[in-house]
């Protein structure tokens, strides 16, 4: 009887010790998890500065968390800091070696750095090789004003990867270039419905384009401002933000936006053209 009681006591002590160890580990990591959640929340709200600061805290407290490193890398890429993003995303990949999203974000980062071969390897690891080939061919066709080819290739990309929003955005661009605006908006809406959470700059850009096409300039201004804040390197955001501001009755703000756009992208003539048109009363 005494032996049975002793065994039960030992079992209770072991369970208590396990519970204490679990509580200790949770307590040690809880600040890091809270920081990760706060950082992702700030990112969803397009507050990149706060997101970066809080996610830096998260990776210090959770140095083996692939999710924390990946979140930091995505924010750094959105802040136009691809070298820092590469370091963070490589850390994420060290802890999440088979994660397709991490491979994809690292591929985008390497492409931004001009490391195309390495980027392609990570696109392959993310499961995107044929899709990326079709997308690039569609982009090239669109830049050469071959809208028929762009439509065909973008449609094939969307059929191959029907959960990827970028092909639908590109498909819509080809339709818009052909003068088929309602059909373009339909494709952009399809892409926006597939957007990642939190949305990226390109997702907000097309949300704004849709809102402007649907005569909701206030919503368009909000979405395009977020897009520009998330990624100031996108070449057409400022142009369409100016259009949305003009449609919202904010003529001076539109002019200032186009001036900034013309300074930032001097090789792109559209902002300067709109400045001339609005200044002449057209």
């Amino acid at each position: 009887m005494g032996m049975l009681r002793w065994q039960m006591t030992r079992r209770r002590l072991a369970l208590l010790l396990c519970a204490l160890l679990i509580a200790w580990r949770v307590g040690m990591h809880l600040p890091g998890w809270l920081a990760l959640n706060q950082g992702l929340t700030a990112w969803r709200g397009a507050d990149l500065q706060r997101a970066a600061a809080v996610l830096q805290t998260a990776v210090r407290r959770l140095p083996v968390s692939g999710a924390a490193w990946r979140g930091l890398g995505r924010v750094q890429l959105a802040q136009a800091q691809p070298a820092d993003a590469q370091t963070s995303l490589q850390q994420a990949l060290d802890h999440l070696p088979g994660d397709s999203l991490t491979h994809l974000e690292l591929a985008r980062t390497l492409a931004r750095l001009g490391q195309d071969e390495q980027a392609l390897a990570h696109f392959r690891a993310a499961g995107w090789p044929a899709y990326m080939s079709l997308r690039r061919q569609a982009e090239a066709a669109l830049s050469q004003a071959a809208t028929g080819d762009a439509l065909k290739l973008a449609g094939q990309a969307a059929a191959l990867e029907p959960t990827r929003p970028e092909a639908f955005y590109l498909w819509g661009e080809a339709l818009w270039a052909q003068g088929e605006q309602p059909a373009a908006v339909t494709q952009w809406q399809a892409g926006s419905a597939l957007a990642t959470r939190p949305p990226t700059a390109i997702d907000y850009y097309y949300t704004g384009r849709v809102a402007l096409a649907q005569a909701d300039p206030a919503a368009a201004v909000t979405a395009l401002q977020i897009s520009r804040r998330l990624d100031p390197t996108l070449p057409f955001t400022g142009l369409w933000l100016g259009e949305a501001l003009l449609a919202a009755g904010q003529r001076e703000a539109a002019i200032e936006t186009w001036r900034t756009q013309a300074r930032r992208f001097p090789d792109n003539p559209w902002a300067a053209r709109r400045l001339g048109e609005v200044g002449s009363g057209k």
Side-chain angles (χ1 to χ4, degrees), residues 13-165:
L13 287 172
L15 289 172
L16 178 60
L17 181 59
C18 288
L20 290 172
L21 284 172
I22 292 171
W24 176 75
R25 288 182 65 85
V26 169
M28 287 288 292
H29 292 104
L30 183 59
W33 293 331
L34 291 173
L36 174 58
N37 183 63
Q38 290 168 1
L40 295 178
T41 299
W43 184 27
R44 293 185 188 102
D47 187 350
L48 293 183
Q49 186 173 359
R50 172 168 168 73
V54 178
L55 287 169
Q56 288 281 6
T57 300
V59 297
R60 283 197 301 270
R61 292 183 176 275
L62 300 171
V64 297
S65 170
W69 283 109
R70 184 179 63 204
L72 178 60
R74 295 179 82 180
V75 170
Q76 288 168 330
L77 183 59
Q79 289 181 309
Q81 299 170 0
D84 292 335
Q86 180 184 5
T87 300
S88 297
L89 290 165
Q90 189 58 63
Q91 286 275 5
L93 203 57
D94 290 344
H95 302 296
L96 297 170
D99 185 64
S100 60
L101 180 56
T102 304
H103 276 292
L104 176 60
E105 294 300 331
L106 184 53
R108 287 172 168 162
T109 300
L110 292 167
R112 184 76 64 86
L113 289 167
Q115 301 178 32
D116 291 338
E117 289 187 12
Q118 297 93 322
L120 185 57
H122 287 284
F123 277 125
R124 286 196 187 99
W128 280 35
Y131 169 72
M132 286 304 301
S133 175
L134 287 167
R135 262 188 61 195
R136 288 179 177 177
Q137 291 179 66
E139 289 166 354
L142 191 58
S143 69
Q144 295 165 7
T147 54
D149 290 339
L151 275 173
K152 177 182 176 182
L153 291 162
Q156 289 174 344
L160 184 64
E161 290 287 349
T163 63
R164 310 293 190 189

Side-chain angles (χ1 to χ4, degrees), residues 179-199:
E180 300 180 39
Q181 280 80 11
V185 169
T186 297
Q187 296 304 333
W188 291 338
Q189 288 173 317
S192 295
L194 297 170
T196 58
R197 294 293 179 267

